[in-house]
Amino acid sequence: MLNPELMSLENQVFRCYLGWSAILILKIFAAGIYTGLMRFFTATFANPEDLMSPKLKVKFDDPNVERVRRAHRNDLENILPFFAIGLLYVLTDPAAFLAINLFRAVGIARIVHTLVYAVVVVPQPSRALAFFVALGATVYMALQVIASAAF
Amino acid sequence: MLNPELMSLENQVFRCYLGWSAILILKIFAAGIYTGLMRFFTATFANPEDLMSPKLKVKFDDPNVERVRRAHRNDLENILPFFAIGLLYVLTDPAAFLAINLFRAVGIARIVHTLVYAVVVVPQPSRALAFFVALGATVYMALQVIASAAF
Amino acid sequence: MLNPELMSLENQVFRCYLGWSAILILKIFAAGIYTGLMRFFTATFANPEDLMSPKLKVKFDDPNVERVRRAHRNDLENILPFFAIGLLYVLTDPAAFLAINLFRAVGIARIVHTLVYAVVVVPQPSRALAFFVALGATVYMALQVIASAAF
């Protein structure tokens, strides 16, 4: 495939990257909104100007809020690099079948990660598995990109 | 417009995305520099090797430093996803007028967010408003990208 | 160079961006894995479901774990914006020699930053120097992108 066509909607690999990236953007934002809701439910506000009542004080150690914040931060550490490397991987013109399934693996694994971490706490190794499936797929893409850049 | 032309400087939508993205990159870095300055002013250093005088100890709870760090983290949670989805949205060839105003909304709202959060603390709902304007515009782009990928 | 060719492997500037981006993706993930290993070595787990033994309790203040987490967060604050602006900078068709050396400077400086911050603690100003080399190169790219978007 010629390079300018790789980033068009006619390329099913790019299209798959496009769809899963947008879904994961919404997933990251969902974690942010969920943090906000959890702050309301537990009355845990980090800034004086956010306090809903003069009786409240700023609080930083609610375990429910902190759990969602850890899940959210884990998204930043893993999904944001995927956005960058996924696009570059598309530009190396990978085999469609493999690339599409890698994107699906990252997308599904990261949604599962949030569910078992912050929504319904499921015992380990469920979260570790979801983490490593997404990480493995992203590392594979990075290695393919390095190979394309080098040779 | 043909796809390869979408990412050129001749496309005013891409050009607008380009300009606002670069401005928001500088805004994120400004938050980082501001954190560093605040650490100096309040002598709040997180690492033993950063202590400027043998009398100082590491400190993690200065409210001014923590406030800037929360604003900075909020940038990572919201602006970095915008970089990814904004580019993909440009590639769906959106109507120029709408796209340009969405980019402006995100850019201005995120600058206002930092100002009212970390520079001059303005009572709520100013920060919430700035947050939701940028979030709403970015979510809209993500939904449009999903629609383009699906149909 | 014509715009559609800028993002192809025939463009050595893009190729250099590609390689360093992928290396820095792996570097960010290395910081994440290193955090996990440090949690095991120091038995510092943030979630009840992660505790390896019923005698352990959740812990949030191990200085070794927190140090790696600060280095990791600093990566998110600085490397993720580079992924976005580096790509846009490639699309402004910069002089190859300058662009390639800027990418190298960012890549090497950020690897050095992690080494002197989280692996072997080296006295300041080593970390500050690594931080500002990468920041300076990225800010320069952002300014060039703004100039291209504006004129």
Side-chain angles (χ1 to χ4, degrees):
Chain A
M1 197 176 280
L2 289 176
N3 193 272
E5 293 164 11
L6 288 172
M7 285 181 78
S8 82
L9 291 169
E10 271 76 60
N11 178 6
Q12 57 171 330
V13 173
F14 178 64
R15 213 169 159 123
C16 181
Y17 165 77
L18 214 60
W20 278 109
S21 290
I23 290 169
L24 287 175
I25 294 268
L26 297 179
K27 203 229 70 52
I28 296 177
F29 288 161
I33 297 290
Y34 191 38
T35 308
L37 291 174
M38 202 60 100
R39 286 193 182 283
F40 271 91
F41 294 151
T42 63
T44 309
F45 299 105
N47 300 291
E49 70 269 28
D50 302 347
L51 301 173
M52 312 292 286
S53 139
K55 289 178 196 160
L56 290 172
K57 290 190 175 176
V58 292
K59 234 173 91 183
F60 300 100
D61 56 0
D62 182 90
N64 296 299
V65 172
E66 289 307 306
R67 175 179 284 276
V68 185
R69 292 186 80 229
R70 283 195 297 277
H72 197 179
R73 176 170 163 163
N74 199 278
D75 279 351
L76 304 183
E77 293 168 358
N78 291 281
I79 300 181
L80 295 175
F82 164 73
F83 293 148
I85 205 68
L87 184 66
L88 302 181
Y89 178 61
V90 169
L91 292 174
T92 65
D93 198 8
F97 179 80
L98 177 61
I100 287 172
N101 282 298
L102 285 172
F103 293 150
R104 283 179 186 153
V106 171
I108 293 169
R110 291 305 312 183
I111 291 170
V112 169
H113 184 272
T114 302
L115 293 176
V116 302
Y117 199 169
V119 183
V120 185
V121 181
V122 178
Q124 291 282 21
S126 54
R127 192 180 91 232
L129 267 176
F131 175 82
F132 281 111
V133 166
L135 184 74
T138 321
V139 166
Y140 176 82
M141 291 178 214
L143 294 176
Q144 289 300 111
V145 168
I146 291 174
S148 289
F151 307 112
Chain B
M1 197 175 279
L2 290 176
N3 193 271
E5 293 164 10
L6 289 172
M7 285 180 77
S8 81
L9 291 169
E10 272 76 60
N11 178 5
Q12 57 171 330
V13 174
F14 178 64
R15 213 169 159 123
C16 182
Y17 164 77
L18 213 60
W20 279 108
S21 290
I23 290 169
L24 287 176
I25 295 268
L26 297 179
K27 203 228 71 52
I28 296 177
F29 288 160
I33 297 291
Y34 192 37
T35 308
L37 291 174
M38 202 58 100
R39 285 192 182 284
F40 271 92
F41 294 151
T42 63
T44 309
F45 299 105
N47 301 290
E49 71 268 27
D50 301 348
L51 301 172
M52 312 292 286
S53 137
K55 289 180 197 158
L56 291 171
K57 290 190 174 177
V58 292
K59 233 173 90 184
F60 300 100
D61 55 359
D62 182 90
N64 296 300
V65 172
E66 289 307 307
R67 175 179 284 276
V68 185
R69 291 185 82 228
R70 284 195 297 277
H72 197 179
R73 177 171 162 161
N74 199 278
D75 280 351
L76 304 183
E77 293 168 357
N78 291 281
I79 300 180
L80 295 175
F82 164 72
F83 293 149
I85 205 68
L87 183 65
L88 302 181
Y89 178 60
V90 169
L91 291 174
T92 66
D93 198 7
F97 179 80
L98 178 61
I100 287 171
N101 282 298
L102 285 173
F103 294 150
R104 282 179 186 154
V106 171
I108 294 168
R110 290 306 311 183
I111 291 170
V112 169
H113 184 272
T114 303
L115 292 176
V116 302
Y117 200 170
V119 182
V120 184
V121 181
V122 177
Q124 291 283 21
S126 54
R127 193 179 91 232
L129 266 176
F131 175 82
F132 281 111
V133 165
L135 184 74
T138 321
V139 165
Y140 175 83
M141 290 178 213
L143 294 176
Q144 288 301 110
V145 168
I146 290 174
S148 290
F151 307 113
Chain C
M1 197 175 279
L2 290 175
N3 192 272
E5 293 165 10
L6 289 171
M7 286 180 78
S8 82
L9 292 169
E10 272 76 60
N11 179 5
Q12 58 172 329
V13 173
F14 178 64
R15 214 170 158 121
C16 182
Y17 165 77
L18 214 61
W20 278 108
S21 290
I23 290 169
L24 287 175
I25 295 269
L26 297 179
K27 203 229 70 53
I28 296 177
F29 287 161
I33 297 289
Y34 191 37
T35 308
L37 291 174
M38 202 58 102
R39 286 192 181 283
F40 272 92
F41 294 152
T42 62
T44 309
F45 300 105
N47 301 291
E49 71 268 26
D50 300 349
L51 301 173
M52 312 292 285
S53 138
K55 289 180 196 157
L56 291 171
K57 290 190 176 176
V58 293
K59 233 173 90 185
F60 299 99
D61 56 359
D62 183 90
N64 296 300
V65 172
E66 289 307 307
R67 176 179 284 276
V68 185
R69 292 186 81 227
R70 283 196 297 278
H72 196 179
R73 176 171 162 160
N74 199 277
D75 280 351
L76 304 182
E77 293 168 357
N78 292 281
I79 300 181
L80 295 174
F82 163 72
F83 293 148
I85 205 69
L87 183 65
L88 302 181
Y89 178 60
V90 169
L91 291 173
T92 66
D93 197 8
F97 179 80
L98 177 62
I100 286 171
N101 283 299
L102 285 172
F103 293 150
R104 283 178 184 153
V106 172
I108 294 168
R110 290 306 311 183
I111 291 170
V112 169
H113 183 272
T114 303
L115 293 176
V116 302
Y117 199 169
V119 182
V120 184
V121 180
V122 178
Q124 291 282 22
S126 54
R127 192 180 92 231
L129 266 176
F131 175 83
F132 280 111
V133 166
L135 184 74
T138 320
V139 166
Y140 176 82
M141 291 178 214
L143 295 175
Q144 289 300 111
V145 168
I146 290 173
S148 290
F151 306 113

